[in-house]
Amino acid sequence: MRAGPLSNPHIIRVLNQSFIPVYIVNDEYRDNGSAPAEERKELERVRQEGYAKKLSVGTVHAYVLTPDGHTHDSLHVAAATNGTTTLAMLQRAIAEFKPSPGQPIVPPAPQSTPPPSTADAITLHLVSRGDDRGSWGDVPAENWIVLAHAEWLAILPTGNVVPGQTWEFDREVSARILTYFYPQTENNDARIDRIQQHSLTAKVLAIKDGVVTARVDGYVRMQHVFYPGRKDAQPLGADVVGVLTFAPGKPPSLQLASTQAVHGQRPFKVAVRTMPTGR
Amino acid sequence: MGERTKRLRAVVLGGLLVGGVIATGCATGGAMSDGGVVRWVEKAVAERQPPPEDKRFDEIGWVTDIRRAINLGKEHNRPIFLYTGDGRINTGRC
């Protein structure tokens, strides 16, 4: 859906000019989800109204609601991924409700943003993408990994640092990073107990003006399931190199890139970088 | 060599390559020289950032709360487009 209609410039223009676009994450609206009870009730009302109108109703759906929030039209995702079909639904709503075209009511903004963190934490941004394109390969996957002060301290060496010195990152912290080294899959259960082997080790290359530059080498081997709930996990292996820079007492900067990575038969690439503080 | 044989050979070679990656317990980054690693990593990380064409989703003025969308719909007399999805469409983890 995101790579199809929701990346189509014409549909984007129509949504911005004449609609209030809203997306929700179903997991957050389930019984133990983080959405407020009032929000969950609204989604349930939208679905019940859809049933009453004999519209298509389900979890992965595109709906059009009236300006006062009542269910008006809908498409199952299998139909909505066809841009022509989605556009036709939007045009039917425009003909019915005659909104005055204008600027988007909410200014467009990046939708993948770092989670809140404390001032002394560092935030890593990870991008992972299968080498394939089309379907699952169309949109890169992103994760945000926040390392609290104690966690980033645990990837640094203690005591004096000298060129050539080597050390291994704290294994729990490296697992928290490497567990997201998987390509776009429908299953996004990133529990670290999927990991069978992993390591990130560093070696000091240079020290200049008190700033240490170290190379990082590592790997992860784990089992990862493509579809949620299945038991057919496939082996995943990724080799990694990176660069760590740090000055004593200050938050480090870490960049990692896979050198080769395969999930089952599917090659993929990963990049990790520390986001500037203050983001 | 027939087309089927070529394809079979490609599959076998691919499988061996994949198997090699999975089986080895240690990283291959060690093959990269200390002198070249910083430049390689910086280039790889930069090249792997999502290009603008993969971020068109962000060009839409999204709301992420149904009640707020309804309030805005009433206020501006606009219909509401509601997408309900599994996973997180905003991060591509869906």
Side-chain angles (χ1 to χ4, degrees):
Chain A
M1 191 68 185
R2 177 173 152 183
L6 299 180
S7 291
N8 177 313
H10 187 187
I11 291 176
I12 291 170
R13 192 163 53 249
V14 169
L15 286 172
N16 281 335
Q17 283 182 343
S18 301
F19 286 81
I20 307 294
V22 52
Y23 70 88
I24 61 122
V25 174
N26 284 326
D27 272 354
E28 294 176 355
Y29 283 70
R30 292 192 173 115
D31 287 342
N32 54 355
S34 58
E38 296 82 2
E39 271 292 296
R40 295 204 296 268
K41 203 185 295 180
E42 281 298 275
L43 178 60
E44 184 55 26
R45 179 188 58 76
V46 166
R47 289 177 174 154
Q48 291 303 327
E49 288 185 3
Y51 286 126
K53 286 188 147 190
K54 301 195 185 312
L55 296 172
S56 177
V57 174
T59 51
V60 186
H61 263 66
Y63 299 92
V64 167
L65 312 183
T66 63
D68 58 353
H70 293 288
T71 309
H72 175 72
D73 207 345
S74 72
L75 288 172
H76 184 278
V77 69
T81 50
N82 180 322
T84 307
T85 308
T86 293
L87 188 59
M89 179 170 76
L90 300 180
Q91 286 170 336
R92 284 196 299 275
I94 290 171
E96 175 81 19
F97 302 111
K98 300 179 176 51
S100 301
Q103 294 296 310
I105 301 302
V106 173
Q111 295 298 305
S112 174
T113 54
S117 61
T118 56
D120 59 357
I122 65 168
T123 300
L124 307 177
H125 180 233
L126 177 147
V127 178
S128 180
R129 185 170 205 168
D131 290 356
D132 52 306
R133 293 294 180 268
S135 188
W136 290 100
D138 265 339
V139 175
E142 299 174 62
N143 290 97
W144 299 91
I145 305 156
V146 175
L147 298 184
H149 182 250
E151 291 175 310
W152 62 252
L153 274 179
I155 68 171
L156 302 181
T158 53
N160 284 340
V161 179
V162 294
Q165 180 178 339
T166 62
W167 72 98
E168 183 175 15
F169 284 12
D170 177 273
R171 292 181 60 77
E172 282 188 27
V173 177
S174 54
R176 281 201 54 217
I177 300 168
L178 293 169
T179 197
Y180 295 105
F181 275 57
Y182 65 94
Q184 310 99 314
T185 58
E186 187 164 321
N187 166 41
N188 289 297
D189 182 350
R191 283 180 301 188
I192 59 173
D193 62 7
R194 290 145 50 245
I195 296 176
Q196 296 161 317
Q197 298 176 60
H198 77 285
S199 177
L200 288 174
T201 58
K203 174 187 167 190
V204 175
L205 297 179
I207 305 172
K208 187 178 177 190
D209 300 330
V211 177
V212 178
T213 300
R215 70 177 286 165
V216 179
D217 292 277
Y219 62 90
V220 62
R221 307 283 179 261
M222 60 180 162
Q223 298 286 323
H224 183 74
V225 179
F226 193 100
Y227 291 106
R230 299 264 185 95
K231 300 203 181 298
D232 55 349
Q234 291 184 298
L236 183 152
D239 292 344
V240 182
V241 293
V243 177
L244 176 73
T245 57
F246 61 95
K250 296 199 173 161
S253 171
L254 177 65
Q255 294 185 92
L256 299 172
S258 58
T259 54
Q260 53 181 342
V262 181
H263 176 219
Q265 301 284 321
R266 184 184 182 202
F268 65 100
K269 292 183 176 66
V270 181
V272 176
R273 60 178 177 163
T274 308
M275 299 310 289
T277 52
R279 250 196 74 119
Chain B
M1 192 185 303
E3 199 55 38
R4 278 186 65 182
T5 311
K6 277 186 194 169
R7 276 205 300 269
L8 182 61
R9 180 169 287 188
V11 167
V12 170
L13 283 172
L16 287 172
L17 183 63
V18 170
V21 171
I22 301 300
T24 179
C26 56
T28 59
M32 197 175 295
S33 72
D34 286 350
V37 71
V38 173
R39 182 175 295 183
W40 187 90
V41 169
E42 286 177 348
K43 186 166 180 281
V45 168
E47 286 173 351
R48 296 176 189 182
Q49 298 310 304
E53 58 266 29
D54 289 336
K55 290 290 217 174
R56 293 217 167 99
F57 183 77
D58 291 356
E59 295 173 14
I60 298 169
W62 290 109
V63 174
T64 56
D65 177 310
I66 298 172
R67 290 168 301 162
R68 183 172 177 226
I70 293 172
N71 287 338
L72 292 172
K74 287 176 183 169
E75 185 181 340
H76 298 276
N77 187 40
R78 286 192 178 192
I80 295 150
F81 173 81
L82 166 63
Y83 178 72
T84 65
D86 289 338
R88 296 187 179 275
I89 193 171
N90 56 323
T91 63
R93 289 294 193 195
C94 54

